[in-house]
Amino acid sequence: MMDKLSQLRAMTAVVADTGDINAIRQFTPLDATTNPSLLLKAAQQAEYQPLIERAIAFAAKQGGSDSEQVGLCCDHLAASIGREILQIVPGRISTEVDARLSFDSAATLERARRLMDLYAQMGVAPERVLIKIASTWEGIKAAEILEREGVHCNLTLLFSFAQARACADAGVTLISPFVGRILDWYLHNTDATSFAPEQDPGVQSVRRIYHFYKEHGYRTTVMGASFRNTGQIEALAGCDSLTISPDLLAQLAEDKGPLPRALTTSADAGCAAAPISECDFRFEHNDDAMAHEKLGEGIRKFVADQYALESQLQARAKNLEAV
């Protein structure tokens, strides 16, 4: 019998949730996705040091204030790492907009366009890039504009059904509902100490979104993310796409057991649901304590890693000047 990773690939697009080139080479996923946390880890790897030096030099050549240069340096590095990954994967790379802009549609648009311009300068076709944006109301509205401009978007840090509805209304290319972080919240805030995969609240959230999209004919891809164990992954087999960390990919590759399809769709889809208003979005999202807390926590975590990455690049730039 085939291993579970091979079985999963037969029904679901498998994406590598890492910026580690070696791990991507090992598991040969269709796509790959990065975020500030993964870029911070990647920037410490030896193979990326030349990319860091080029990013520093590029930003310095453009001039501007220190903050402008370090922001440009981070974006150039993100696009450079994305380009390297695209030499391996046949599909797309997801690259994230600075999380500090999560509540500013205009600034998100500006940064997304800059990332796409950097990719274009590096010879990367636009259809091979997904711009990752936090699923705030402002982020979703920015993504709606970008999609009309031909820029495909991956709406991340998605925890509530209200976020999923608004993303579908906006016509975004892909959403990343966070399975593991939802589970984390329930384990921390309820008396439960564990959940079977079928009762896992993160799994149930993705299943609800997936069936809603299919029943109403939305074309937005559902990509489950942030997994804590292979049981969650197996319970979502058949989902459009799943982004999986290298350690869990390895566990699936070593397991020779059967992997039945867990998600299926009916042949006929109904009409689209009524769009969600901004007022309803904000009320419903904030009425969900888990989603409200985890979105804020996720943005804060990405911002902290963004600051850490910038500090690392600034220190590296000073070392290069001293040489």
Side-chain angles (χ1 to χ4, degrees), residues 48-67:
Y48 290 130
Q49 298 316 300
L51 301 185
I52 291 175
E53 293 180 9
R54 285 200 289 271
I56 291 170
F58 178 86
K61 186 177 181 181
Q62 308 310 308
S65 67
D66 288 346
S67 62

Side-chain angles (χ1 to χ4, degrees), residues 80-271:
S80 296
I81 290 177
R83 181 180 179 278
E84 292 298 308
I85 291 172
L86 288 174
Q87 307 304 308
I88 304 170
V89 301
R92 301 177 295 193
I93 182 69
S94 288
T95 299
E96 191 147 351
V97 168
D98 189 332
R100 289 171 294 193
L101 309 179
S102 296
F103 301 97
D104 188 333
S105 295
T108 295
L109 284 167
E110 182 180 356
R111 189 61 63 87
R113 290 164 180 155
R114 184 167 81 181
L115 283 166
M116 293 303 297
D117 182 60
L118 287 169
Y119 269 116
Q121 291 179 44
M122 297 176 190
V124 176
E127 60 269 20
R128 300 202 67 195
V129 179
L130 287 170
I131 294 295
K132 285 181 75 176
I133 301 170
S135 300
T136 59
W137 180 261
E138 294 80 5
I140 295 168
K141 293 294 104 177
E144 185 172 20
I145 295 171
L146 289 168
E147 291 283 354
R148 290 201 297 266
E149 294 177 356
V151 176
H152 302 301
C153 298
N154 171 354
L155 272 291
T156 187
L157 293 176
L158 193 147
F159 302 98
S160 71
F161 191 61
Q163 288 174 296
R165 286 179 59 196
C167 287
D169 294 339
V172 304
T173 298
L174 182 147
I175 62 168
S176 299
F178 276 36
V179 179
R181 296 195 196 187
I182 293 176
L183 172 64
D184 294 344
W185 189 92
Y186 279 92
L187 291 176
H188 186 264
N189 291 279
T190 69
D191 294 332
T193 57
S194 64
F195 290 90
E198 295 295 319
Q199 283 73 50
D200 185 301
V203 169
Q204 291 181 341
S205 176
V206 175
R207 286 184 171 186
R208 181 187 182 192
I209 294 167
Y210 176 86
H211 289 302
F212 176 79
Y213 277 17
K214 304 313 175 189
E215 287 168 6
H216 292 284
Y218 292 112
R219 300 181 66 181
T220 297
T221 294
V222 179
M223 182 175 74
S226 174
F227 293 105
R228 298 292 179 260
N229 55 68
T230 57
Q232 293 175 323
I233 296 168
E234 293 180 36
L236 293 174
C239 192
D240 298 330
S241 181
L242 299 175
T243 181
I244 306 171
S245 63
D247 59 328
L248 294 179
L249 288 171
Q251 291 179 38
L252 290 168
E254 293 168 1
D255 192 336
K256 303 295 184 181
L259 179 61
R261 178 182 287 271
L263 296 183
T264 58
T265 59
S266 59
D268 299 319
C271 61

Side-chain angles (χ1 to χ4, degrees), residues 1-14 26-29 233-234 237-238 244 248-261:
M1 179 175 290
M2 290 192 299
D3 61 78
K4 286 185 176 178
L5 181 56
S6 298
Q7 294 176 68
L8 181 64
R9 282 178 167 144
M11 59 184 109
T12 292
V14 174
Q26 179 182 356
F27 295 107
T28 60
I233 296 168
E234 293 180 36
I244 306 171
L248 294 179
L249 288 171
Q251 291 179 38
L252 290 168
E254 293 168 1
D255 192 336
K256 303 295 184 181
L259 179 61
R261 178 182 287 271

Side-chain angles (χ1 to χ4, degrees), residues 275-295:
I276 187 170
S277 68
E278 180 179 354
C279 290
D280 286 344
F281 171 90
R282 294 193 185 280
F283 177 80
E284 291 178 22
H285 179 75
N286 284 277
D287 194 45
D288 184 334
M290 175 278 298
H292 174 71
E293 292 175 21
K294 296 306 286 186
L295 174 60

